[in-house]
Amino acid sequence: MSNNIITYGLKNVHYSKATYNESDDSWGYATPVELKGAQEFSSDLIGGSSSVYADDQVVATLNQNAGRTITLKLTEITDEFKTDILGYKKAENGNLVEITNAEPTTFALGFEFQGDKKARRVWFYLCTCAPINESTKSKTESVEANSISLTITARPIAIDDNNSTTHVTTSKGDANYDTFLTTAPSLPVIK
């Protein structure tokens, strides 16, 4: 199948809570949970490249990929995400309580975007989310919906002794495409 010329859209956002296993230095993932209301996704590289100069010329380029900073904009955040990932707790009376000293919870973030030739699905493996900012405004002559932005850091995970990654992408036609976002994420096996 040929490559996309354009990409667009954002849907099927899921998260999967991660658990670290010290005995074999590995990560395991829970069954993914859908996160409705996705509006926008963007990621920025943590790192970059720099040139090494000698003898009046560039003799090497050093690249550093220390992960990604992700912004995910949603119409609302579920109570389940707040308790699973952001560390909120339920009070005896049913109230949802933000715990300011909650330990960061590691999770995988998955989603789908479309293209003119093929749709792609992505899992970012080692994500942590910053506390959220919330705001709302009064209705006027028209009603404008609120939104919440999550600031997420995706750090690299080792695939094997020589390779690490922040994320994996699948396209229609790949063996795991149909179940990619509904089964627990797994690390890719490099040929």
Side-chain angles (χ1 to χ4, degrees):
M1 182 181 274
S2 59
N3 290 322
N4 289 327
I5 296 173
I6 59 169
T7 58
Y8 55 89
L10 175 63
K11 65 182 184 177
N12 291 331
V13 175
H14 287 73
Y15 70 91
S16 174
K17 197 169 181 178
T19 305
Y20 179 67
N21 184 346
E22 285 187 46
S23 65
D24 66 355
D25 190 31
S26 67
W27 288 91
Y29 294 92
T31 301
V33 177
E34 191 169 14
L35 192 57
K36 291 279 196 185
Q39 294 180 316
E40 189 175 329
F41 168 89
S42 65
S43 77
D44 294 310
L45 179 67
I46 300 171
S49 64
S50 60
S51 299
V52 178
Y53 290 86
D55 301 322
D56 291 338
Q57 61 185 342
V58 175
V59 294
T61 301
L62 305 176
N63 292 314
Q64 171 64 6
N65 181 347
R68 303 276 178 155
T69 300
I70 296 169
T71 302
L72 178 62
K73 186 176 173 183
L74 303 158
T75 55
E76 183 57 88
I77 298 174
T78 64
D79 288 354
E80 188 175 22
F81 184 84
K82 288 178 180 178
T83 56
D84 285 350
I85 304 303
L86 298 177
Y88 284 53
K89 302 283 185 194
K90 284 278 191 173
E92 287 181 9
N93 62 5
N95 295 166
L96 191 61
V97 181
E98 179 186 24
I99 304 300
T100 58
N101 60 342
E103 286 289 319
T105 300
T106 301
F107 64 100
L109 176 69
F111 58 89
E112 179 180 333
F113 61 97
Q114 301 295 306
D116 60 318
K117 302 288 183 188
K118 55 188 170 184
R120 293 191 183 129
R121 295 176 176 172
V122 178
W123 273 118
F124 281 86
Y125 289 106
L126 295 181
C127 298
T128 51
C129 189
I132 58 173
N133 294 316
E134 296 180 279
S135 64
T136 191
K137 51 192 163 277
S138 178
K139 295 189 291 184
T140 59
E141 294 86 23
S142 62
V143 178
E144 189 175 325
N146 296 325
S147 63
I148 295 177
S149 291
L150 299 177
T151 302
I152 299 167
T153 301
R155 61 191 190 275
I157 186 171
I159 299 171
D160 54 38
D161 291 339
N162 299 314
N163 298 293
S164 60
T165 188
T166 55
H167 65 283
V168 64
T169 304
T170 188
S171 298
K172 280 187 180 176
D174 291 349
N176 63 341
Y177 183 82
D178 290 338
T179 60
F180 190 75
L181 293 173
T182 56
T183 58
S186 60
L187 291 177
V189 177
I190 305 297
K191 292 181 181 180

